[in-house]
Amino acid sequence: MPAWDDLTRVELRNACERGELIAEGELNTTYRAMLRGRRVFVRIRTVQDAEFGQTFAAERHVYGLVDGVIRVPRLLALDPSAAPAYAVFEYVESVPTRWNAAATLVGLAELLARLHRVPGPGLGPVDAPGGSTDAAAVLHGLALAELDRVRAAVGDELNVGPMHAWVNEFPRIFAGEPVVLCHGDVHAGNVLTGGDGEL
């Protein structure tokens, strides 16, 4: 539950105007700012599109599930229905991540393994899971749909036959796999290293 459920749009706007722009991306604009006497990280969703209907879904639905499993910044304020939608987090003091160090990659693998042991309620978006728990069938269907998109985009230039053969092995490969949380967007910008060296 966000700590600041009474945050006003004026407070947020003023904090961002006085703060430091960190990045402007296709989906979000982010700021480092001072708000209510604390250093915060502000993410403002710049795309208002039904295609991105899971706005701040992880913050709304997953944070409670991963508490004590992995380290995440504390969520201070959230309004996914605002125009534009926003989320405010505690600011995490970090050090550069040493991606060329084996220990970093091992640490990331261990972190993801811990996350992937958290059971999920069903397959699909976290804010509206489809309810199915047959991972093999769902993954098979998703992969076939992706192959159809590839074929539609490139035509006969790409021989998708071998990929179809591999995808058709999914029911065997994933038979009996439990439904668990998956990060889905692992990249260097989504992983911080704390001052203590822990991811």
Side-chain angles (χ1 to χ4, degrees), residues 36-176:
R36 297 186 175 184
R38 328 180 41 158
R39 206 167 191 199
V40 297
F41 174 81
V42 179
R43 182 184 298 155
I44 297 178
R45 179 55 56 96
T46 54
V47 172
Q48 303 298 316
D49 189 319
E51 182 73 16
F52 298 99
Q54 286 200 85
T55 299
F56 302 129
E59 291 83 353
R60 290 184 287 139
H61 303 284
V62 177
Y63 264 38
L65 298 174
V66 301
D67 186 36
V69 177
I70 61 172
R71 290 170 56 176
V72 293
R74 183 175 179 213
L75 180 64
L76 300 173
L78 173 71
D79 191 345
S81 61
Y86 65 85
V88 181
F89 306 85
E90 67 175 341
Y91 185 79
V92 176
E93 295 291 348
S94 61
V95 298
T97 301
R98 297 176 52 232
W99 291 112
N100 60 342
T104 299
L105 300 180
V106 169
L108 178 60
E110 290 173 347
L111 183 149
L112 292 173
R114 289 198 307 270
L115 179 66
H116 295 169
R117 285 194 289 271
V118 177
L123 293 158
V126 292
D127 57 352
S132 172
T133 57
D134 186 349
V138 171
L139 290 172
H140 186 235
L142 287 173
L144 287 176
E146 287 300 315
L147 285 178
D148 287 343
R149 287 189 190 92
V150 169
R151 186 173 28 240
V154 300
D156 294 330
E157 295 175 36
L158 178 67
N159 178 8
V160 297
M163 287 183 276
H164 261 290
W166 178 67
V167 166
N168 285 332
E169 288 293 307
F170 279 19
R172 181 185 60 78
I173 294 169
F174 295 106

